[in-house]
Amino acid sequence: MSKGTKYLLVSLPTSISPSNDHDEALTALRSGVTTDFGTVTPFPIPDLKIGTLDALVQQADELAKLETSCEAVVAKVGDSLKTILMGDESKISQQKTVNDKPVDQYLRSFTWNKVKYRADKPLSELIDTLQKEVVSIDNDVKQKYNQYNQVKTNLTTLQRKQTGNLASKSLTSIVPPSLLIRDSDYLETHLIAVPSQLTSSFPKVYETISPWVVPRSAQRIDADDEFTLYAVTTFKKYSQEFIHKSREQKWIPRDFKYKEGGQEAEEKEVEKVAKEEKKLWGEALRLGRTGWGEAVMAWVHVLALRVFVETVLRYGLPLSFVCGLVKTTPKLAKKARNSLDQSYSYLAGNAFGRDKKGRITKDDSSTSADMQAAGHMGDGEDYSAYVCYEFEIN
């Protein structure tokens, strides 16, 4: 999937060709775009069940909102894939396929999925099916991604305990059990991580910061680049005061209880969570890949429905139109549309005029407002003489 690609879905009545022939109309569409501004491939849309005019106008509005939802879900699933694959663009692009095809190939060989979206169903049912599908994709991917993130966070926390400094890492493999006073009714051992810049003053003051600190009980256990770990004994009655005063001195009391076999249990826990993280990573990646492809497929079918509904509203019945996919770039898209405007402005009747040099001029804003109220335009879109929707899939 190449970035910097823009697509236009264009629908024109077959009456643009003298013979009213579908293939000749497609050739005329290609001529209207010209190869300077893009390439045109057929984009077949089946004959769908048409309801009343009022229903079509309402469905045009529903489809515009649904397309926005589809685009948002595709973007969110894409962001999840980006996080799972740590921003590796080559790996991300390999995952972004639709029906096991690159996006461009899928679009340029598009066929309506008759199994998922039966063409003999009313438009209202198709819209409802697509709405539910998009919500389901969003929820499934989000749930799995959150589950993976939670386990990943747990693993990071456990790994940090194995590799951090003495103020945060696990002390199970560092503190000898013989240094700890256990099963005493009166005495208690405290483990204190002292910042390196304070270690020189620690032996001089630790006995005085609270009552009933056992004199000369401080024992150096270990040190790293940031902290030195000491064991200090106090009477239990004053333990909380000693801990509070230690924090005031900017020392860090460590909460530690010796447990037989604790080191082995920690190692097993890290191994267990690492396996779970790896498993969920694979599940999140698979669900992200399939979810992205299905969300894009839904989006493209919504676009096809928008073209169909707008074509009926714009050109009327009996319905005879040609739809083409224009592959272009963001820079050339405007030129492609201007070229089409020049060729097919007559389809707009009085909505377009021409200046003294014969160039197309669009009517004032009141015309656009009238067309939008009639359901012939999406919100914020300029009126064009033909049906056209622009989109990018990244």
Side-chain angles (χ1 to χ4, degrees):
M1 176 176 46
S2 60
K3 290 196 173 182
T5 300
K6 192 162 195 170
Y7 297 98
L8 314 178
L9 265 183
V10 179
S11 166
L12 290 163
T14 54
S15 60
I16 60 171
S17 71
S19 64
N20 211 39
D21 178 73
H22 181 278
D23 291 339
E24 286 187 15
L26 182 63
T27 301
L29 171 56
R30 287 193 173 106
S31 300
V33 174
T34 78
T35 54
D36 293 334
F37 305 135
T39 57
V40 180
T41 52
F43 192 88
I45 299 176
D47 291 330
L48 300 168
K49 296 184 76 171
I50 301 169
T52 64
L53 178 61
D54 287 345
L56 286 170
V57 172
Q58 182 181 344
Q59 287 158 357
D61 184 53
E62 291 173 358
L63 286 166
K65 294 174 182 175
L66 181 54
E67 191 202 337
T68 301
S69 299
C70 290
E71 186 174 2
V73 170
V74 169
K76 282 192 282 186
V77 178
D79 286 342
S80 298
L81 283 172
K82 186 175 183 179
T83 302
I84 292 166
L85 294 170
M86 301 177 69
D88 189 322
E89 289 296 337
S90 62
K91 290 181 179 178
I92 294 167
S93 62
Q94 290 172 11
Q95 303 300 319
K96 289 184 172 181
T97 59
V98 187
N99 278 355
D100 296 323
K101 298 177 184 177
V103 172
D104 185 66
Q105 184 182 342
Y106 169 74
L107 289 170
R108 290 159 70 82
S109 61
F110 174 80
T111 56
W112 185 270
N113 190 324
K114 296 178 181 179
V115 176
K116 292 182 76 172
Y117 318 112
R118 286 177 51 183
D120 60 345
K121 294 288 185 182
L123 286 174
S124 57
E125 285 191 30
L126 291 176
I127 293 170
D128 185 58
T129 297
L130 285 158
Q131 284 174 332
K132 290 177 179 176
E133 182 181 10
V134 171
V135 170
S136 177
I137 292 168
D138 187 26
N139 289 339
D140 289 349
V141 174
K142 189 189 301 178
Q143 184 179 5
K144 182 60 68 174
Y145 178 68
N146 288 342
Q147 188 181 0
Y148 163 69
N149 257 351
Q150 185 176 352
V151 173
K152 183 182 179 183
T153 300
N154 292 344
L155 179 61
T156 301
T157 302
L158 290 171
Q159 290 173 334
R160 192 180 293 121
K161 286 182 178 179
Q162 303 295 315
T163 59
N165 58 42
L166 287 167
S168 60
K169 73 187 296 184
S170 170
L171 301 179
T172 305
S173 62
I174 296 171
V175 179
S178 58
L179 281 178
L180 303 175
I181 295 175
R182 292 177 284 165
D183 304 323
S184 169
D185 293 333
Y186 304 103
L187 298 176
E188 186 172 14
T189 303
H190 301 281
L191 300 176
I192 307 295
V194 181
S196 298
Q197 65 270 26
L198 301 177
T199 51
S200 59
S201 62
F202 176 79
K204 302 172 187 175
V205 298
Y206 80 91
E207 294 179 10
T208 63
I209 64 171
S210 74
W212 294 95
V213 177
V214 176
R216 295 182 295 282
S217 63
Q219 297 186 61
R220 183 182 180 279
I221 300 173
D222 198 3
D224 57 27
D225 293 338
E226 299 175 69
F227 294 90
T228 299
L229 186 68
Y230 289 92
V232 177
T233 303
T234 71
F235 277 75
K236 281 186 176 181
K237 183 178 179 181
Y238 295 97
S239 287
Q240 290 306 311
E241 185 176 351
F242 177 77
I243 291 171
H244 176 69
K245 295 293 184 181
S246 293
R247 291 196 176 103
E248 287 185 352
Q249 295 290 326
K250 295 185 169 50
W251 309 336
I252 300 175
R254 295 298 313 275
D255 185 20
F256 177 76
K257 300 291 183 186
Y258 175 75
K259 186 177 180 180
E260 192 73 38
Q263 184 175 353
E264 292 80 4
E266 284 185 359
E267 289 172 355
K268 286 181 179 178
E269 180 67 12
V270 172
E271 185 179 349
K272 174 187 171 185
V273 176
K275 286 181 179 178
E276 180 69 8
E277 189 265 352
K278 186 177 181 180
K279 172 176 169 285
L280 285 171
W281 180 88
E283 291 176 0
L285 179 62
R286 285 191 294 274
L287 192 58
R289 179 176 63 239
T290 57
W292 192 88
E294 288 174 358
V296 169
M297 184 188 296
W299 182 9
V300 174
H301 280 77
V302 169
L303 279 163
L305 286 178
R306 288 198 76 185
V307 169
F308 180 82
V309 169
E310 182 69 13
T311 297
V312 177
L313 290 171
R314 188 74 66 90
Y315 307 140
L317 299 173
L319 199 58
S320 180
F321 71 102
V322 61
C323 183
L325 177 78
V326 182
K327 180 183 179 182
T328 182
T329 66
K331 287 184 178 180
L332 292 176
K334 187 174 181 180
K335 292 182 178 180
R337 294 202 64 166
N338 286 340
S339 180
L340 287 166
D341 285 342
Q342 294 293 330
S343 298
Y344 302 113
S345 62
Y346 66 88
L347 294 172
N350 295 326
F352 284 0
R354 292 182 183 269
D355 62 17
K356 293 179 180 179
K357 295 183 179 180
R359 294 174 301 193
I360 296 296
T361 58
K362 297 186 180 182
D363 211 345
D364 60 21
S365 58
S366 62
T367 301
S368 293
D370 290 342
M371 298 305 292
Q372 186 166 322
H376 294 313
M377 295 170 60
D379 291 339
E381 295 177 4
D382 289 332
Y383 176 73
S384 62
Y386 47 89
V387 178
C388 181
Y389 293 105
E390 300 182 14
F391 64 100
E392 296 177 65
I393 301 178
N394 297 316

